[in-house]
Amino acid sequence: MSKVQKWYGPHSSTAADWPVDALIPAKGNTTVSVVLPARNEESTVGDIVTAIRRDLVERAPLVDEILVVDSRSTDATAERARRAGARVVAQDEVLAHLPPLTGKGEALWKGLAASRGDLVVFVDADLRSFGAHYVTGLLGPLLADRGIQFVKAAYERPYTGEDGVVRRGAGGRVTELVARPLLNMFWPELAGFAQPLGGEYAARRQVLERVPFVTEYGVEFGLLVDLLQLVGLDAMAQVDLGHRTHTHQPIDALGRMAGQILQTAWSRLERQDRVLAPEPPARTLLQFGLEGRADLVDVAVAERPPLASLVLEEDVA
């Protein structure tokens, strides 16, 4: 039996295994923050915040903080999140003395810095299938077992085409074509994670503050690999949340995302002394569009350092 097979059973569960009534006694004095990175998500963020506040703050005292990181939105994202009951922070106003960077990972890192909970739950703000079980499912293993440091969501991801037809299991194209093959090749211990790029996961703050955050779309891939090295596979778990419906990206955006994930994987292989090259990989991607159009796009990824290192630097200063 492989290491992944031995890990999978004891470290996999479903959201139904973690009812909120059972989590309240286990919570004790532990504080919980739910962090939503949001960029132009006015149509969905309010409903997500409302559900968390209603079900996990007012009806059951499980969540202590709902934080929305407004990632330079140009719509009413911040207003709707605030009206629904979230604390809203502007991405660039958190640790404002640092040069601003772009990308989803930047919003997550700033959210970690701005939040206060002992346990941090990340939830994407574009979900159209959100329920409170997303949060309770991810918190369950962390509250039940002090040895678990990180919990990743699994789910079915349907794909709705331009024709309106819903195709079960056809979502997550970059996951199946890029991320999971890379993990199976170089980090086979992580092959049991069904949705390595999914935006829903939870962890202990003290662990998240010890790893870097890729600022672009390689952030989830980088976190999995870095946390494997930091805490080991037995400290990681997976919870099936059912299904996930969200906004689908166009093919050119998926190409850029794939490029960023490849850059992230390469940097981890270099850092672990598993690859040696006379020169770094190219950081541009030539994309072809309709009518012969060609665009050269940048797929380089920056990184924010572990938050704990910033605290240490400030203490020394």
Side-chain angles (χ1 to χ4, degrees):
M1 183 180 293
S2 70
K3 188 173 183 179
V4 171
Q5 289 173 313
K6 291 179 181 178
W7 168 86
Y8 193 85
H11 293 80
S12 296
S13 59
T14 69
D17 295 325
W18 309 107
V20 65
D21 291 344
L23 297 184
I24 297 299
K27 180 179 187 290
N29 295 325
T30 304
T31 54
V32 174
S33 295
V34 179
V35 176
L36 293 86
R39 179 180 175 87
N40 295 333
E41 303 294 355
E42 63 178 7
S43 65
T44 51
V45 68
D47 290 340
I48 297 172
V49 171
T50 296
I52 298 171
R53 177 181 51 78
R54 180 190 64 227
D55 297 339
L56 302 178
V57 177
E58 296 172 354
R59 292 179 180 171
L62 185 67
V63 170
D64 300 282
E65 177 184 39
I66 308 170
L67 176 70
V68 170
V69 182
D70 182 19
S71 185
R72 305 173 186 170
S73 297
T74 57
D75 64 2
T77 290
E79 177 187 349
R80 295 193 179 181
R82 194 175 291 113
R83 190 187 309 159
R87 180 165 74 94
V88 178
V89 296
Q91 176 179 300
D92 293 337
E93 292 179 5
V94 179
L95 300 176
H97 63 287
L98 299 176
L101 297 176
T102 61
K104 179 186 179 183
E106 172 78 345
L108 293 171
W109 190 76
K110 293 294 186 68
L112 178 62
S115 62
R116 310 182 184 102
D118 302 318
L119 303 181
V120 181
V121 183
F122 290 116
V123 176
D124 278 352
D126 66 342
L127 297 180
R128 302 183 183 279
S129 55
F130 180 82
H133 68 285
Y134 272 48
V135 176
T136 55
L138 292 169
L139 286 173
L142 292 166
L143 291 173
D145 185 348
R146 294 293 301 178
I148 297 298
Q149 304 295 316
F150 174 81
V151 182
K152 185 79 174 180
Y155 24 60
E156 179 188 336
R157 296 179 68 179
Y159 175 76
T160 304
E162 294 182 0
D163 55 4
V165 176
V166 178
R167 297 170 176 84
R168 289 188 59 185
R173 290 163 287 177
V174 176
T175 293
E176 295 304 321
L177 298 176
V178 180
R180 296 199 72 252
L182 277 171
L183 291 177
N184 277 264
M185 288 174 65
F186 297 112
W187 297 278
E189 305 98 316
L190 297 172
F193 285 96
Q195 298 293 342
L197 303 185
E200 287 67 53
Y201 42 96
R204 302 189 190 281
R205 170 175 297 279
Q206 60 187 12
V207 169
L208 289 173
E209 290 184 346
R210 293 172 61 194
V211 291
F213 275 58
V214 171
T215 60
E216 302 292 343
Y217 276 111
V219 59
E220 279 86 14
F221 191 99
L223 284 174
L224 267 184
V225 173
D226 292 343
L227 287 169
L228 174 67
Q229 189 170 28
L230 178 65
V231 302
L233 186 63
D234 285 339
M236 306 169 80
Q238 179 171 237
V239 176
D240 190 339
L241 302 182
H243 74 279
R244 183 183 196 268
T245 305
H246 65 112
T247 304
H248 295 291
Q249 298 280 354
I251 194 67
D252 57 341
L254 295 181
R256 293 190 294 273
M257 189 183 303
Q260 291 169 352
I261 291 165
L262 287 167
Q263 293 281 344
T264 301
W266 181 271
S267 69
R268 269 64 193 162
L269 289 169
E270 280 191 319
R271 205 166 294 170
Q272 295 175 9
D273 295 323
R274 300 177 63 185
V275 64
L276 180 63
E279 58 185 45
R283 297 184 176 182
T284 55
L285 174 66
L286 184 61
Q287 293 187 305
F288 295 95
L290 299 176
E291 300 176 354
R293 182 176 59 86
D295 296 308
L296 189 65
V297 297
D298 186 359
V299 292
V301 293
E303 285 192 13
R304 287 297 194 183
L307 272 173
S309 68
L310 293 186
V311 173
L312 289 172
E313 289 175 3
E314 291 175 359
D315 288 345
V316 171

